[in-house]
Amino acid sequence: MKCTRCKAKAEVHLRAHNAGFCRPCYLGYFQRHVERAVDREKMFSKDDHILVAVSGGKDSLALWDVLVGLGYRTTGLYLGLGIGGYSDRSRETVEAFARNRELPLVVRTLADEGPGLAVPDVAASTRRVPCAACGAMKRHFFDAAAHEGSFDVLATGHNLDDEAARLLGNVLRWQRDHLARQRPVLQPSHPKFVRKVKPLYLLSEYETAVYAFMRGIEYVVEECPNAEGATQLVYKDALNRLEAASPGTKQAFVKEFLRNAQSLFADDAARGVPGECQQCGMPAYGAICSFCALVREVETKRARRAAAAAEHAGA
Ligand code: SF4
Ligand SMILES: [Zn+2]
Ligand SMILES: [Zn+2]
């Protein structure tokens, strides 16, 4: 196959777009795609300071790389989740990426934020599935880091496959409030929140993997060990089958939802303006935010277990 743009030998074939690209043209295509999404959805401008949440995986590092290449002002944010060797390797990868490119990076680790706050510990003590505990903690620390650092925007590396899988999950259960918030740009509902954006939302996992490979980005290939049982993967698998039978399905699913249906759910997002958490000061709909409620639950259960252990030892 020949490159659609310059007719040189194509290195990558994108079935969904019925196009092929040589390496330089593919990198240009990817960059332009991100730039257009940023401009079209008014995600941010060159004046904004963008906090990029990076996990060490290909999507978030590709996002950081492309934003730097486009001349945006960025800082990376890595949150250590405490998930064994996976977290160690992710942190090393992100730190090496930032160091080699002399990019600013903020690192926070859950275990340093309080005893028992690493994801596996929270999951065990509160009997939640790890991803539920992880999601609540990530949301809190991303919001807090963006606020504390006075950033204008928080960008995440969610790609088309993530968005299509999330949409499928939301549609299968008709979760109106989730559908209301499924957008590439979420405006802040409180002065302590910043705008949240997903510049890769229409680029597939395959496209970001090709970009990362061509740019020589070293990323963590292994998945988080908790991802294995995640329902998201089942949805991704189903969507991959549909995509193989009919290329362009994922793109149409997400794009047409945003164009034709998303606004129908907008009212469901109107939860009013949040107040402030009495504990941490971040926005909250109740007296304390869901993160502080989770921390309280961890503390209570840890104290209860410690008391039981002491009683057992004394008996
Ligand atoms: S798979 Fe679950 S536990 Fe692992 S990083 Fe993702 S949300 Fe967190
Ligand atoms: Zn070309
Ligand atoms: Zn709080």
Side-chain angles (χ1 to χ4, degrees):
M1 184 176 193
K2 287 200 160 91
C3 172
T4 311
R5 291 183 74 85
C6 76
K7 307 297 171 213
K9 189 171 179 300
E11 221 177 298
V12 51
H13 178 207
L14 303 179
R15 285 183 69 208
H17 301 279
N18 197 19
F21 294 108
C22 67
R23 192 172 289 214
C25 290
Y26 181 77
L27 292 173
Y29 151 84
F30 191 92
Q31 209 179 38
R32 264 193 314 280
H33 193 114
V34 174
E35 201 171 19
R36 276 209 291 263
V38 167
D39 292 345
R40 185 180 59 243
E41 300 297 329
K42 299 187 177 52
M43 292 185 180
F44 42 75
S45 71
K46 295 269 159 72
D47 297 329
D48 289 325
H49 194 180
I50 306 154
L51 185 63
V52 187
V54 278
S55 64
K58 63 184 179 324
D59 303 301
S60 54
L61 291 180
L63 172 63
W64 199 6
D65 182 85
V66 76
L67 293 183
V68 170
L70 287 167
Y72 289 106
R73 206 151 56 100
T74 60
T75 291
L77 168 65
Y78 174 78
L79 181 63
L81 305 171
I83 306 176
Y86 165 73
S87 285
D88 298 339
R89 287 185 285 280
S90 307
R91 179 177 176 156
E92 282 160 20
T93 306
V94 169
E95 286 180 334
F97 180 95
R99 199 172 45 243
N100 294 339
R101 292 162 178 78
E102 296 182 2
L103 297 172
L105 172 69
V106 176
V107 175
R108 293 183 72 166
T109 31
L110 292 179
D112 293 341
E113 301 291 336
L117 289 190
V119 167
D121 300 336
V122 174
S125 61
T126 64
R127 295 186 199 280
R128 278 179 173 76
V129 287
C131 295
C134 184
M137 314 244 280
K138 272 192 208 157
R139 265 193 304 280
H140 173 80
F141 283 106
F142 287 0
D143 286 334
H147 172 63
E148 284 160 19
S150 302
F151 289 92
D152 301 292
V153 189
L154 172 70
T156 54
H158 293 97
N159 60 36
L160 176 64
D161 293 61
D162 299 322
E163 291 305 295
R166 185 172 161 210
L167 179 57
L168 182 59
N170 289 340
V171 164
L172 287 175
R173 287 183 180 74
W174 290 112
Q175 288 172 300
R176 298 185 58 106
D177 52 335
H178 291 192
L179 289 165
R181 288 195 300 276
Q182 181 156 4
R183 286 195 297 251
V185 179
L186 266 187
Q187 297 298 346
S189 58
H190 187 281
K192 286 187 178 175
F193 279 151
V194 302
R195 195 182 319 135
K196 290 177 186 160
V197 301
K198 301 172 185 174
L200 306 183
Y201 78 109
L202 288 181
L203 284 158
S204 70
E205 199 169 307
Y206 175 68
E207 286 169 290
T208 57
V210 172
Y211 178 85
F213 169 75
M214 287 182 175
R215 289 281 299 151
I217 296 172
E218 304 256 350
Y219 60 88
V220 180
V221 179
E222 70 186 287
E223 291 266 6
C224 168
N226 298 319
E228 231 163 78
T231 334
Q232 280 278 94
L233 289 190
V234 180
Y235 297 151
K236 281 191 177 174
D237 190 42
L239 285 159
N240 283 340
R241 289 193 207 182
L242 292 168
E243 182 75 23
S246 176
T249 299
K250 288 180 205 172
Q251 164 112 233
F253 186 41
V254 172
K255 242 183 167 171
E256 298 310 318
F257 161 71
L258 292 170
R259 196 180 356 229
N260 296 315
Q262 207 280 332
S263 61
L264 303 174
F265 300 95
D267 285 349
D268 293 62
R271 298 164 69 195
V273 180
E276 287 186 5
C277 171
Q278 291 169 1
Q279 195 104 13
C280 72
M282 286 302 284
Y285 285 95
I288 61 169
C289 72
S290 47
F291 167 74
C292 288
L294 186 64
V295 173
R296 223 177 245 189
E297 193 181 331
V298 170
E299 284 167 356
T300 313
K301 300 217 164 125
R302 277 172 66 89
R304 212 177 285 161
R305 255 207 318 273
E311 201 174 298
H312 187 73

